[in-house]
Amino acid sequence: MVNFGDNYDVALVNCIQNIAFVDVIYPRVPIVLWGHEAETILDTTQCSTQDWIKFFSKISMVIFQTDWQNKLYGQFILDSDKVRVIPNGLPPIGFDGKVSKTEGFKISTVGRISPSKNQLGLIEAVCRLVNRYQLTCDFIGDNSLMTNSKNNISKLVDKYPDTFKFLGHLERDQALARVAGSDLFCFPSRSESFGLAPLEAASLGVPVILANLPVYRYLGWESDVNCMMFNQSEPQSLDRIIEYLINHPEKRTDLSEQGRKLAGKFNNISFMKEFSLLFSNLSRKNGK
């Protein structure tokens, strides 16, 4: 364990999930918490309201990615002046943007295979459409949870071996190149604090489908304008949207143009400057 002492001006704790590190550091140096979580940790934690209040009282500065997170956790932060909201910026794209399109209609998604990311919902939707359309679906991200051949995902995928491609973890530029070659990007996650992957897809000009989560409205996503959103409580809501976009290329073009405009608002240089300035000011405030 690192010995936090006077050699450090500030300590950064990345994610509320790393709550245990706060007691190791506190009160030796000011602590900045960079929170990436949304509702899930509140729904699954054993912490009481007083536990959360005590935790946040030890933090010198809290950085959230969205006002949605501030709405969720602000009730536990008694000093609202400690809160900053700094949306993520999109890092530059390293590949040259040249991609080859495959035959048929290609859907892509990014994220570790897990119940919270809801890849199963996308797979079920594609299975209901694959007999009417020539579809392929790329899954980019850690797929170690699929090693059990008895799980629900594997059972469906085995029926359509030519439709679903599980590519595992790819380097960022490789992943973006695969996304750029898609006709559609679907992000069916059940909970998000920000959602960087859909914005990256939009920056590549790929139309985006999202689950109807509250956080997206705080980022500027608007259904039927710069994305399409499906209702997770209706199993075939996603099917209908995919089928509509397959048959309406002009709508895909519309979503692509508007999505790219939204993604352009999340500038990585501005993000880094604001993030660095916050740390500099906090260090000066504490006499370092």
Side-chain angles (χ1 to χ4, degrees):
M1 181 65 68
V2 175
N3 179 23
F4 288 94
D6 293 336
N7 291 330
Y8 296 89
D9 297 330
V10 178
L12 173 66
V13 174
N14 188 12
C15 298
I16 296 172
Q17 198 168 9
N18 291 321
I19 189 171
F21 286 97
V22 171
D23 284 330
V24 174
I25 302 166
Y26 182 82
R28 295 169 185 162
V29 294
I31 299 172
V32 174
L33 173 67
W34 190 11
H36 296 272
E37 292 84 353
E39 307 97 322
T40 303
I41 196 169
L42 291 175
D43 294 339
T44 58
T45 184
Q46 299 293 320
C47 293
S48 67
T49 296
Q50 288 306 312
D51 290 333
W52 281 116
I53 291 173
K54 184 178 179 180
F55 165 67
F56 280 107
S57 71
K58 299 174 182 178
I59 306 299
S60 300
M61 185 70 66
V62 182
I63 303 173
F64 289 129
Q65 300 160 298
T66 61
D67 284 314
W68 170 240
Q69 294 166 293
N70 193 18
K71 183 177 181 179
L72 290 173
Y73 292 94
Q75 59 183 310
F76 308 126
I77 305 171
L78 301 184
D79 182 2
S80 59
D81 289 339
K82 296 199 301 187
V83 177
R84 298 290 184 276
V85 176
I86 306 179
N88 282 37
L90 299 183
I93 295 170
F95 77 101
D96 61 11
K98 296 178 181 178
V99 294
S100 57
K101 295 282 186 176
T102 58
E103 289 186 10
F105 193 89
K106 181 178 175 182
I107 302 169
S108 64
T109 189
V110 172
R112 184 171 188 251
I113 305 297
S114 67
S116 65
K117 293 298 182 183
N118 192 30
Q119 288 94 348
L120 178 59
L122 174 57
I123 291 169
E124 289 174 335
V126 171
C127 285
R128 289 190 286 264
L129 295 169
V130 72
N131 291 327
R132 300 199 301 276
Y133 301 98
Q134 187 182 352
L135 299 178
T136 56
C137 195
D138 281 358
F139 292 81
I140 302 165
D142 179 9
N143 56 19
S144 59
L145 294 182
M146 285 184 57
T147 53
N148 179 2
S149 62
K150 295 181 181 179
N151 67 39
N152 290 334
I153 289 180
S154 293
K155 288 178 182 177
L156 288 173
V157 168
D158 289 346
K159 293 181 180 179
Y160 303 99
D162 296 327
T163 300
F164 301 105
K165 299 178 181 178
F166 291 85
L167 304 174
H169 172 76
L170 299 177
E171 294 300 320
R172 181 172 180 272
D173 292 343
Q174 291 177 307
L176 290 178
R178 297 291 301 208
V179 171
S182 306
D183 298 290
L184 190 61
F185 181 85
C186 183
F187 200 63
S189 183
R190 290 192 171 98
S191 177
E192 289 293 324
S193 62
F194 184 83
L196 188 63
L199 286 168
E200 289 189 310
S203 74
L204 295 167
V206 181
V208 172
I209 297 179
L210 300 167
N212 190 5
L213 301 180
V215 63
Y216 295 135
R217 293 191 286 276
Y218 288 79
L219 294 168
W221 288 110
E222 188 175 351
S223 189
D224 207 35
V225 176
N226 52 26
C227 70
M228 299 294 281
M229 292 187 183
F230 70 95
N231 187 344
Q232 294 188 85
S233 65
E234 298 178 27
Q236 296 193 9
S237 171
L238 179 54
D239 313 24
R240 292 193 295 270
I241 291 174
I242 293 174
E243 185 166 26
Y244 173 78
L245 292 177
I246 290 172
N247 292 309
H248 292 82
E250 72 286 353
K251 184 62 177 179
R252 298 202 306 271
T253 299
D254 242 14
L255 295 176
S256 172
E257 292 173 355
Q258 295 303 317
R260 200 190 289 269
K261 288 179 183 177
L262 175 64
K265 296 179 180 179
F266 296 87
N267 183 280
N268 196 53
I269 295 175
S270 299
F271 164 74
M272 295 300 295
K273 284 182 178 178
E274 191 171 356
F275 209 82
S276 299
L277 182 61
L278 185 148
F279 275 85
S280 298
N281 290 341
L282 186 60
S283 295
R284 286 198 293 270
K285 181 179 177 181
N286 287 275
K288 297 289 186 177

